[in-house]
Amino acid sequence: MNPNDVSVLSYPVTVARQWLSAVAASAEWYSAVLDPRPDLSVPAHTLRLPYAWWW
């Protein structure tokens, strides 16, 4: 196999790996920002807006 073929074939693998990494990081940030578990030490009526999508 030609060395140029290896680099051409490894490009989609690298792109897919980076894309999956970005999706995983986005999901992690999304779940951290919009965590459906409210802080129970704060009354629910004070946090109504951030958790409106969950309730």
PDB file of all heavy atoms in Angstrom, residues 19-49:
ATOM      1  N   TRP A  19     -15.104  14.109  15.903  1.00  0.00           N
ATOM      2  CA  TRP A  19     -16.527  14.415  15.947  1.00  0.00           C
ATOM      3  C   TRP A  19     -17.179  13.752  17.166  1.00  0.00           C
ATOM      4  O   TRP A  19     -17.961  14.387  17.878  1.00  0.00           O
ATOM      5  CB  TRP A  19     -17.199  13.942  14.656  1.00  0.00           C
ATOM      6  CG  TRP A  19     -18.640  14.342  14.571  1.00  0.00           C
ATOM      7  CD1 TRP A  19     -19.140  15.535  14.184  1.00  0.00           C
ATOM      8  CD2 TRP A  19     -19.756  13.516  14.914  1.00  0.00           C
ATOM      9  NE1 TRP A  19     -20.508  15.510  14.248  1.00  0.00           N
ATOM     10  CE2 TRP A  19     -20.921  14.285  14.694  1.00  0.00           C
ATOM     11  CE3 TRP A  19     -19.887  12.216  15.366  1.00  0.00           C
ATOM     12  CZ2 TRP A  19     -22.189  13.791  14.929  1.00  0.00           C
ATOM     13  CZ3 TRP A  19     -21.160  11.726  15.601  1.00  0.00           C
ATOM     14  CH2 TRP A  19     -22.286  12.510  15.379  1.00  0.00           C
ATOM     15  N   LEU A  20     -16.853  12.485  17.405  1.00  0.00           N
ATOM     16  CA  LEU A  20     -17.401  11.796  18.572  1.00  0.00           C
ATOM     17  C   LEU A  20     -16.922  12.435  19.871  1.00  0.00           C
ATOM     18  O   LEU A  20     -17.678  12.534  20.847  1.00  0.00           O
ATOM     19  CB  LEU A  20     -17.019  10.318  18.545  1.00  0.00           C
ATOM     20  CG  LEU A  20     -17.786   9.469  17.541  1.00  0.00           C
ATOM     21  CD1 LEU A  20     -17.222   8.059  17.504  1.00  0.00           C
ATOM     22  CD2 LEU A  20     -19.258   9.439  17.877  1.00  0.00           C
ATOM     23  N   SER A  21     -15.700  12.886  19.893  1.00  0.00           N
ATOM     24  CA  SER A  21     -15.184  13.583  21.066  1.00  0.00           C
ATOM     25  C   SER A  21     -15.945  14.880  21.314  1.00  0.00           C
ATOM     26  O   SER A  21     -16.285  15.207  22.453  1.00  0.00           O
ATOM     27  CB  SER A  21     -13.692  13.866  20.873  1.00  0.00           C
ATOM     28  OG  SER A  21     -13.195  14.628  21.934  1.00  0.00           O
ATOM     29  N   ALA A  22     -16.239  15.614  20.250  1.00  0.00           N
ATOM     30  CA  ALA A  22     -17.001  16.860  20.385  1.00  0.00           C
ATOM     31  C   ALA A  22     -18.427  16.587  20.846  1.00  0.00           C
ATOM     32  O   ALA A  22     -18.970  17.313  21.687  1.00  0.00           O
ATOM     33  CB  ALA A  22     -17.003  17.616  19.060  1.00  0.00           C
ATOM     34  N   VAL A  23     -19.047  15.539  20.326  1.00  0.00           N
ATOM     35  CA  VAL A  23     -20.410  15.193  20.741  1.00  0.00           C
ATOM     36  C   VAL A  23     -20.431  14.777  22.209  1.00  0.00           C
ATOM     37  O   VAL A  23     -21.317  15.184  22.969  1.00  0.00           O
ATOM     38  CB  VAL A  23     -20.980  14.077  19.837  1.00  0.00           C
ATOM     39  CG1 VAL A  23     -22.258  13.497  20.405  1.00  0.00           C
ATOM     40  CG2 VAL A  23     -21.218  14.614  18.437  1.00  0.00           C
ATOM     41  N   ALA A  24     -19.452  14.004  22.625  1.00  0.00           N
ATOM     42  CA  ALA A  24     -19.393  13.577  24.020  1.00  0.00           C
ATOM     43  C   ALA A  24     -19.171  14.768  24.949  1.00  0.00           C
ATOM     44  O   ALA A  24     -19.791  14.861  26.010  1.00  0.00           O
ATOM     45  CB  ALA A  24     -18.279  12.544  24.201  1.00  0.00           C
ATOM     46  N   ALA A  25     -18.298  15.674  24.561  1.00  0.00           N
ATOM     47  CA  ALA A  25     -18.056  16.869  25.379  1.00  0.00           C
ATOM     48  C   ALA A  25     -19.302  17.747  25.438  1.00  0.00           C
ATOM     49  O   ALA A  25     -19.639  18.295  26.495  1.00  0.00           O
ATOM     50  CB  ALA A  25     -16.881  17.660  24.827  1.00  0.00           C
ATOM     51  N   SER A  26     -20.002  17.872  24.316  1.00  0.00           N
ATOM     52  CA  SER A  26     -21.237  18.666  24.298  1.00  0.00           C
ATOM     53  C   SER A  26     -22.297  18.039  25.200  1.00  0.00           C
ATOM     54  O   SER A  26     -22.991  18.750  25.928  1.00  0.00           O
ATOM     55  CB  SER A  26     -21.780  18.776  22.877  1.00  0.00           C
ATOM     56  OG  SER A  26     -20.866  19.448  22.057  1.00  0.00           O
ATOM     57  N   ALA A  27     -22.422  16.738  25.153  1.00  0.00           N
ATOM     58  CA  ALA A  27     -23.400  16.048  26.006  1.00  0.00           C
ATOM     59  C   ALA A  27     -23.041  16.209  27.478  1.00  0.00           C
ATOM     60  O   ALA A  27     -23.926  16.403  28.327  1.00  0.00           O
ATOM     61  CB  ALA A  27     -23.465  14.570  25.634  1.00  0.00           C
ATOM     62  N   GLU A  28     -21.764  16.162  27.781  1.00  0.00           N
ATOM     63  CA  GLU A  28     -21.321  16.339  29.164  1.00  0.00           C
ATOM     64  C   GLU A  28     -21.633  17.750  29.666  1.00  0.00           C
ATOM     65  O   GLU A  28     -22.148  17.922  30.772  1.00  0.00           O
ATOM     66  CB  GLU A  28     -19.825  16.054  29.257  1.00  0.00           C
ATOM     67  CG  GLU A  28     -19.284  16.114  30.656  1.00  0.00           C
ATOM     68  CD  GLU A  28     -17.812  15.780  30.714  1.00  0.00           C
ATOM     69  OE1 GLU A  28     -17.287  15.180  29.763  1.00  0.00           O
ATOM     70  OE2 GLU A  28     -17.187  16.133  31.715  1.00  0.00           O
ATOM     71  N   TRP A  29     -21.323  18.750  28.852  1.00  0.00           N
ATOM     72  CA  TRP A  29     -21.609  20.139  29.226  1.00  0.00           C
ATOM     73  C   TRP A  29     -23.110  20.358  29.330  1.00  0.00           C
ATOM     74  O   TRP A  29     -23.596  21.045  30.232  1.00  0.00           O
ATOM     75  CB  TRP A  29     -21.004  21.120  28.232  1.00  0.00           C
ATOM     76  CG  TRP A  29     -19.563  21.379  28.519  1.00  0.00           C
ATOM     77  CD1 TRP A  29     -18.495  20.807  27.907  1.00  0.00           C
ATOM     78  CD2 TRP A  29     -19.039  22.257  29.513  1.00  0.00           C
ATOM     79  NE1 TRP A  29     -17.342  21.272  28.450  1.00  0.00           N
ATOM     80  CE2 TRP A  29     -17.643  22.167  29.445  1.00  0.00           C
ATOM     81  CE3 TRP A  29     -19.625  23.091  30.447  1.00  0.00           C
ATOM     82  CZ2 TRP A  29     -16.815  22.909  30.282  1.00  0.00           C
ATOM     83  CZ3 TRP A  29     -18.795  23.827  31.279  1.00  0.00           C
ATOM     84  CH2 TRP A  29     -17.405  23.724  31.197  1.00  0.00           C
ATOM     85  N   TYR A  30     -23.886  19.805  28.396  1.00  0.00           N
ATOM     86  CA  TYR A  30     -25.338  19.953  28.420  1.00  0.00           C
ATOM     87  C   TYR A  30     -25.913  19.356  29.695  1.00  0.00           C
ATOM     88  O   TYR A  30     -26.760  19.952  30.352  1.00  0.00           O
ATOM     89  CB  TYR A  30     -25.941  19.278  27.182  1.00  0.00           C
ATOM     90  CG  TYR A  30     -27.441  19.364  27.112  1.00  0.00           C
ATOM     91  CD1 TYR A  30     -28.063  20.533  26.699  1.00  0.00           C
ATOM     92  CD2 TYR A  30     -28.240  18.281  27.463  1.00  0.00           C
ATOM     93  CE1 TYR A  30     -29.445  20.619  26.625  1.00  0.00           C
ATOM     94  CE2 TYR A  30     -29.609  18.361  27.395  1.00  0.00           C
ATOM     95  CZ  TYR A  30     -30.208  19.529  26.976  1.00  0.00           C
ATOM     96  OH  TYR A  30     -31.568  19.606  26.921  1.00  0.00           O
ATOM     97  N   SER A  31     -25.466  18.180  30.051  1.00  0.00           N
ATOM     98  CA  SER A  31     -25.994  17.543  31.256  1.00  0.00           C
ATOM     99  C   SER A  31     -25.541  18.269  32.515  1.00  0.00           C
ATOM    100  O   SER A  31     -26.251  18.286  33.516  1.00  0.00           O
ATOM    101  CB  SER A  31     -25.582  16.077  31.315  1.00  0.00           C
ATOM    102  OG  SER A  31     -24.183  15.958  31.456  1.00  0.00           O
ATOM    103  N   ALA A  32     -24.366  18.895  32.483  1.00  0.00           N
ATOM    104  CA  ALA A  32     -23.903  19.645  33.648  1.00  0.00           C
ATOM    105  C   ALA A  32     -24.679  20.948  33.811  1.00  0.00           C
ATOM    106  O   ALA A  32     -25.017  21.345  34.927  1.00  0.00           O
ATOM    107  CB  ALA A  32     -22.413  19.939  33.517  1.00  0.00           C
ATOM    108  N   VAL A  33     -24.983  21.608  32.699  1.00  0.00           N
ATOM    109  CA  VAL A  33     -25.688  22.886  32.767  1.00  0.00           C
ATOM    110  C   VAL A  33     -27.169  22.688  33.069  1.00  0.00           C
ATOM    111  O   VAL A  33     -27.760  23.403  33.866  1.00  0.00           O
ATOM    112  CB  VAL A  33     -25.500  23.675  31.447  1.00  0.00           C
ATOM    113  CG1 VAL A  33     -26.413  24.875  31.387  1.00  0.00           C
ATOM    114  CG2 VAL A  33     -24.053  24.099  31.298  1.00  0.00           C
ATOM    115  N   LEU A  34     -27.778  21.714  32.433  1.00  0.00           N
ATOM    116  CA  LEU A  34     -29.208  21.473  32.600  1.00  0.00           C
ATOM    117  C   LEU A  34     -29.462  20.218  33.433  1.00  0.00           C
ATOM    118  O   LEU A  34     -30.287  19.378  33.078  1.00  0.00           O
ATOM    119  CB  LEU A  34     -29.893  21.356  31.237  1.00  0.00           C
ATOM    120  CG  LEU A  34     -29.836  22.605  30.380  1.00  0.00           C
ATOM    121  CD1 LEU A  34     -30.448  22.333  29.019  1.00  0.00           C
ATOM    122  CD2 LEU A  34     -30.541  23.762  31.045  1.00  0.00           C
ATOM    123  N   ASP A  35     -28.768  20.098  34.535  1.00  0.00           N
ATOM    124  CA  ASP A  35     -28.925  18.949  35.409  1.00  0.00           C
ATOM    125  C   ASP A  35     -30.344  18.941  35.984  1.00  0.00           C
ATOM    126  O   ASP A  35     -30.756  19.913  36.623  1.00  0.00           O
ATOM    127  CB  ASP A  35     -27.905  19.017  36.535  1.00  0.00           C
ATOM    128  CG  ASP A  35     -27.856  17.762  37.364  1.00  0.00           C
ATOM    129  OD1 ASP A  35     -28.530  16.782  36.998  1.00  0.00           O
ATOM    130  OD2 ASP A  35     -27.134  17.753  38.376  1.00  0.00           O
ATOM    131  N   PRO A  36     -31.110  17.882  35.740  1.00  0.00           N
ATOM    132  CA  PRO A  36     -32.493  17.869  36.208  1.00  0.00           C
ATOM    133  C   PRO A  36     -32.637  17.682  37.714  1.00  0.00           C
ATOM    134  O   PRO A  36     -33.718  17.800  38.247  1.00  0.00           O
ATOM    135  CB  PRO A  36     -33.115  16.688  35.467  1.00  0.00           C
ATOM    136  CG  PRO A  36     -31.972  15.793  35.185  1.00  0.00           C
ATOM    137  CD  PRO A  36     -30.786  16.695  34.973  1.00  0.00           C
ATOM    138  N   ARG A  37     -31.549  17.422  38.406  1.00  0.00           N
ATOM    139  CA  ARG A  37     -31.633  17.233  39.852  1.00  0.00           C
ATOM    140  C   ARG A  37     -31.432  18.574  40.541  1.00  0.00           C
ATOM    141  O   ARG A  37     -30.316  19.068  40.645  1.00  0.00           O
ATOM    142  CB  ARG A  37     -30.570  16.243  40.312  1.00  0.00           C
ATOM    143  CG  ARG A  37     -30.759  14.874  39.697  1.00  0.00           C
ATOM    144  CD  ARG A  37     -29.561  14.018  39.940  1.00  0.00           C
ATOM    145  NE  ARG A  37     -28.447  14.629  39.214  1.00  0.00           N
ATOM    146  CZ  ARG A  37     -27.199  14.235  39.317  1.00  0.00           C
ATOM    147  NH1 ARG A  37     -26.882  13.260  40.108  1.00  0.00           N
ATOM    148  NH2 ARG A  37     -26.247  14.815  38.622  1.00  0.00           N
ATOM    149  N   PRO A  38     -32.484  19.189  41.035  1.00  0.00           N
ATOM    150  CA  PRO A  38     -32.326  20.493  41.680  1.00  0.00           C
ATOM    151  C   PRO A  38     -31.613  20.372  43.025  1.00  0.00           C
ATOM    152  O   PRO A  38     -31.607  19.313  43.658  1.00  0.00           O
ATOM    153  CB  PRO A  38     -33.757  20.969  41.862  1.00  0.00           C
ATOM    154  CG  PRO A  38     -34.570  19.735  41.881  1.00  0.00           C
ATOM    155  CD  PRO A  38     -33.856  18.741  41.017  1.00  0.00           C
ATOM    156  N   ASP A  39     -31.028  21.458  43.433  1.00  0.00           N
ATOM    157  CA  ASP A  39     -30.389  21.533  44.737  1.00  0.00           C
ATOM    158  C   ASP A  39     -31.504  21.594  45.773  1.00  0.00           C
ATOM    159  O   ASP A  39     -32.279  22.548  45.824  1.00  0.00           O
ATOM    160  CB  ASP A  39     -29.506  22.775  44.809  1.00  0.00           C
ATOM    161  CG  ASP A  39     -28.760  22.865  46.127  1.00  0.00           C
ATOM    162  OD1 ASP A  39     -28.807  21.892  46.908  1.00  0.00           O
ATOM    163  OD2 ASP A  39     -28.138  23.914  46.359  1.00  0.00           O
ATOM    164  N   LEU A  40     -31.603  20.587  46.607  1.00  0.00           N
ATOM    165  CA  LEU A  40     -32.724  20.495  47.542  1.00  0.00           C
ATOM    166  C   LEU A  40     -32.613  21.477  48.700  1.00  0.00           C
ATOM    167  O   LEU A  40     -33.567  21.658  49.451  1.00  0.00           O
ATOM    168  CB  LEU A  40     -32.843  19.065  48.064  1.00  0.00           C
ATOM    169  CG  LEU A  40     -33.171  18.028  46.982  1.00  0.00           C
ATOM    170  CD1 LEU A  40     -33.230  16.642  47.599  1.00  0.00           C
ATOM    171  CD2 LEU A  40     -34.468  18.359  46.284  1.00  0.00           C
ATOM    172  N   SER A  41     -31.477  22.136  48.849  1.00  0.00           N
ATOM    173  CA  SER A  41     -31.345  23.118  49.912  1.00  0.00           C
ATOM    174  C   SER A  41     -31.969  24.460  49.523  1.00  0.00           C
ATOM    175  O   SER A  41     -32.158  25.318  50.370  1.00  0.00           O
ATOM    176  CB  SER A  41     -29.872  23.323  50.272  1.00  0.00           C
ATOM    177  OG  SER A  41     -29.193  23.905  49.176  1.00  0.00           O
ATOM    178  N   VAL A  42     -32.305  24.633  48.237  1.00  0.00           N
ATOM    179  CA  VAL A  42     -32.931  25.863  47.757  1.00  0.00           C
ATOM    180  C   VAL A  42     -34.402  25.561  47.477  1.00  0.00           C
ATOM    181  O   VAL A  42     -34.712  24.570  46.828  1.00  0.00           O
ATOM    182  CB  VAL A  42     -32.232  26.350  46.465  1.00  0.00           C
ATOM    183  CG1 VAL A  42     -32.893  27.608  45.937  1.00  0.00           C
ATOM    184  CG2 VAL A  42     -30.759  26.581  46.714  1.00  0.00           C
ATOM    185  N   PRO A  43     -35.315  26.398  47.964  1.00  0.00           N
ATOM    186  CA  PRO A  43     -36.740  26.144  47.693  1.00  0.00           C
ATOM    187  C   PRO A  43     -37.026  26.086  46.190  1.00  0.00           C
ATOM    188  O   PRO A  43     -36.445  26.821  45.402  1.00  0.00           O
ATOM    189  CB  PRO A  43     -37.446  27.336  48.338  1.00  0.00           C
ATOM    190  CG  PRO A  43     -36.483  27.848  49.354  1.00  0.00           C
ATOM    191  CD  PRO A  43     -35.122  27.559  48.814  1.00  0.00           C
ATOM    192  N   ALA A  44     -37.926  25.209  45.799  1.00  0.00           N
ATOM    193  CA  ALA A  44     -38.215  24.977  44.384  1.00  0.00           C
ATOM    194  C   ALA A  44     -38.782  26.214  43.707  1.00  0.00           C
ATOM    195  O   ALA A  44     -38.548  26.430  42.522  1.00  0.00           O
ATOM    196  CB  ALA A  44     -39.184  23.814  44.237  1.00  0.00           C
ATOM    197  N   HIS A  45     -39.521  27.044  44.422  1.00  0.00           N
ATOM    198  CA  HIS A  45     -40.129  28.206  43.772  1.00  0.00           C
ATOM    199  C   HIS A  45     -39.099  29.248  43.360  1.00  0.00           C
ATOM    200  O   HIS A  45     -39.366  30.081  42.512  1.00  0.00           O
ATOM    201  CB  HIS A  45     -41.207  28.833  44.664  1.00  0.00           C
ATOM    202  CG  HIS A  45     -40.697  29.304  45.980  1.00  0.00           C
ATOM    203  ND1 HIS A  45     -40.071  30.509  46.154  1.00  0.00           N
ATOM    204  CD2 HIS A  45     -40.706  28.708  47.191  1.00  0.00           C
ATOM    205  CE1 HIS A  45     -39.730  30.650  47.419  1.00  0.00           C
ATOM    206  NE2 HIS A  45     -40.102  29.551  48.069  1.00  0.00           N
ATOM    207  N   THR A  46     -37.890  29.212  43.933  1.00  0.00           N
ATOM    208  CA  THR A  46     -36.850  30.176  43.530  1.00  0.00           C
ATOM    209  C   THR A  46     -36.108  29.722  42.278  1.00  0.00           C
ATOM    210  O   THR A  46     -35.460  30.523  41.634  1.00  0.00           O
ATOM    211  CB  THR A  46     -35.835  30.396  44.667  1.00  0.00           C
ATOM    212  OG1 THR A  46     -35.208  29.163  44.964  1.00  0.00           O
ATOM    213  CG2 THR A  46     -36.512  30.961  45.894  1.00  0.00           C
ATOM    214  N   LEU A  47     -36.188  28.451  41.945  1.00  0.00           N
ATOM    215  CA  LEU A  47     -35.483  27.906  40.778  1.00  0.00           C
ATOM    216  C   LEU A  47     -36.446  27.466  39.688  1.00  0.00           C
ATOM    217  O   LEU A  47     -36.148  26.572  38.914  1.00  0.00           O
ATOM    218  CB  LEU A  47     -34.618  26.712  41.187  1.00  0.00           C
ATOM    219  CG  LEU A  47     -33.431  27.020  42.059  1.00  0.00           C
ATOM    220  CD1 LEU A  47     -32.772  25.732  42.514  1.00  0.00           C
ATOM    221  CD2 LEU A  47     -32.426  27.865  41.317  1.00  0.00           C
ATOM    222  N   ARG A  48     -37.598  28.063  39.600  1.00  0.00           N
ATOM    223  CA  ARG A  48     -38.615  27.622  38.663  1.00  0.00           C
ATOM    224  C   ARG A  48     -38.169  27.756  37.209  1.00  0.00           C
ATOM    225  O   ARG A  48     -38.366  26.850  36.411  1.00  0.00           O
ATOM    226  CB  ARG A  48     -39.887  28.420  38.895  1.00  0.00           C
ATOM    227  CG  ARG A  48     -41.097  27.791  38.255  1.00  0.00           C
ATOM    228  CD  ARG A  48     -42.356  28.478  38.691  1.00  0.00           C
ATOM    229  NE  ARG A  48     -42.565  28.246  40.124  1.00  0.00           N
ATOM    230  CZ  ARG A  48     -43.390  28.948  40.869  1.00  0.00           C
ATOM    231  NH1 ARG A  48     -44.083  29.920  40.357  1.00  0.00           N
ATOM    232  NH2 ARG A  48     -43.537  28.669  42.137  1.00  0.00           N
ATOM    233  N   LEU A  49     -37.561  28.868  36.833  1.00  0.00           N
ATOM    234  CA  LEU A  49     -37.201  29.105  35.434  1.00  0.00           C
ATOM    235  C   LEU A  49     -36.132  28.132  34.907  1.00  0.00           C
ATOM    236  O   LEU A  49     -36.330  27.539  33.847  1.00  0.00           O
ATOM    237  CB  LEU A  49     -36.755  30.551  35.235  1.00  0.00           C
ATOM    238  CG  LEU A  49     -36.427  30.938  33.795  1.00  0.00           C
ATOM    239  CD1 LEU A  49     -37.654  30.790  32.916  1.00  0.00           C
ATOM    240  CD2 LEU A  49     -35.910  32.358  33.753  1.00  0.00           C
TER     241      LEU A  49
END
